[in-house]
Amino acid sequence: MAVVGLVSLLSLCYNQNMTRYKAIISYDGFGFSGFQRQPQARTVQEELEKTLARLNSGQPVVVHGAGRTDAGVHAYGQVIHFDLPQARDVERLRFALDTQTAEDIDVIAVEEVADDFHCRYAKHSKTYEFLVDIGRPKNPMMRHYATFYPYELNIALIEEAIVDLVGKHDFTGFTASGTAVENKVRTITEATVEWDQKRNFLIFTFSGNGFLYKQVRNMVGTLLKIGNGRMPVGQIKRILAEKDRNLAGPTAAGNGLYLKEIRYEE
């Protein structure tokens, strides 16, 4: 019992000396099988944990992410947190992480946060951006960074339909089948589409208090089908009302999706 008590006491002292850090990172998703660690696959989480272990004298460090981006999905402003023994100079830590992690990951900022901060569960909102290449011909340099759409589009129809996504709705009809999440009600505060005429890209932007698995990609796939005239402008309202995934369009490819920003409430 005395040995067990000593181990518990040492563990408690160790935990009390841990400092929690929040970091903003960006990454090129092309070379990753997603953010979350998985067996026999290259992931963002694994790359960061390998670097942090080196900076922590070989001791493992667990990285938590605010969102689990899928294979091929990119990020401008993903947020992570992790714990390290004792306090570190945040700029030196950021520089070490940035220069010693793989070149397709960039560490933008690091700050010390409260011990109870959790990047996933702290109240926040997310903004996603989705790029669609509508050029004729497509831009081969952007094949991993924008989803090519080879069909005719009436952008005015997309602009008319996209506003129906704004507000508090049950997004069951835009969720990938088989998701374990029971509550599918989310609030979208911004849903816009912009035509970049110089590059011939459509830029979709969605902001909200949370997004379901493949929700953004399913919304974009539906909006493109509306723009192509194969679905009526009122289809968004019908999908939200009937909560039927079969009424929505196909899932757009992940290469055009970017986690743009995560904003935390004070």
Side-chain angles (χ1 to χ4, degrees):
M1 291 296 291
V3 174
V4 173
L6 179 60
V7 170
S8 298
L9 180 61
L10 290 172
S11 176
L12 177 62
C13 292
Y14 177 77
N15 289 333
Q16 286 177 338
N17 289 329
M18 299 295 278
T19 301
R20 181 155 294 185
Y21 296 94
K22 168 190 170 188
I24 301 173
I25 65 170
S26 63
Y27 47 86
D28 175 351
F30 172 65
F32 293 107
S33 296
F35 176 85
Q36 189 175 18
R37 187 192 321 108
Q38 49 190 292
Q40 300 180 336
R42 184 171 182 256
T43 66
V44 177
Q45 182 182 19
E46 181 186 27
E47 291 291 337
L48 290 166
E49 289 178 345
K50 286 194 298 186
T51 303
L52 283 165
R54 290 197 298 270
L55 297 177
N56 193 34
S57 304
Q59 296 300 309
V61 178
V62 176
V63 168
H64 300 269
R68 300 174 181 177
T69 52
D70 293 332
V73 175
H74 318 286
Y76 295 124
Q78 171 72 284
V79 176
I80 63 170
H81 82 258
F82 52 88
D83 296 334
L84 289 175
Q86 304 171 343
R88 314 272 181 116
D89 179 273
V90 291
E91 178 51 29
R92 288 185 180 180
L93 178 58
R94 185 209 66 80
F95 182 80
L97 273 171
D98 190 43
T99 55
Q100 295 186 40
T101 305
E103 62 182 3
D104 45 4
I105 299 175
D106 180 35
V107 181
I108 300 168
V110 174
E111 64 176 297
E112 187 177 324
V113 291
D115 293 343
D116 61 352
F117 172 81
H118 196 293
C119 61
R120 185 175 180 187
Y121 300 120
K123 200 168 184 180
H124 65 272
S125 63
K126 289 189 178 83
T127 296
Y128 283 94
E129 191 171 88
F130 198 102
L131 301 185
V132 180
D133 182 354
I134 59 173
R136 304 290 185 274
K138 66 178 181 294
N139 182 344
M141 306 303 175
M142 292 294 291
R143 67 191 184 280
H144 302 307
Y145 309 105
T147 298
F148 178 57
Y149 192 76
Y151 308 109
E152 294 297 321
L153 280 175
N154 183 335
I155 299 173
L157 295 177
I158 297 176
E159 291 174 329
E160 185 179 349
I162 198 170
V163 297
D164 291 331
L165 291 167
V166 177
K168 185 176 182 180
H169 306 288
D170 185 323
F171 285 95
T172 297
F174 290 103
T175 310
S177 59
T179 180
V181 177
E182 291 185 11
N183 182 8
K184 298 179 178 64
V185 175
R186 299 292 186 273
T187 300
I188 291 184
T189 55
E190 177 188 12
T192 62
V193 61
E194 174 190 351
W195 179 27
D196 182 341
Q197 296 187 48
K198 185 176 181 180
R199 294 187 297 170
N200 225 353
F201 283 1
L202 289 184
I203 305 172
F204 291 89
T205 303
F206 302 97
S207 296
N209 66 353
F211 292 87
L212 300 164
Y213 183 49
K214 294 187 178 179
Q215 179 184 337
V216 173
R217 292 165 60 184
N218 290 336
M219 293 190 302
V220 170
T222 303
L223 289 164
L224 290 174
K225 206 162 185 179
I226 290 172
N228 183 243
R230 289 181 290 165
M231 282 185 173
V233 172
Q235 189 73 4
I236 298 290
K237 290 181 179 178
R238 184 183 175 193
I239 296 165
L240 293 172
E242 299 188 27
K243 305 177 182 63
D244 185 352
R245 174 67 183 92
N246 294 319
L247 295 175
T251 304
N255 61 330
L257 182 58
Y258 297 75
L259 174 52
K260 186 175 182 180
E261 184 182 17
I262 299 176
R263 296 181 297 276
Y264 289 87
E265 293 187 10
E266 295 296 330

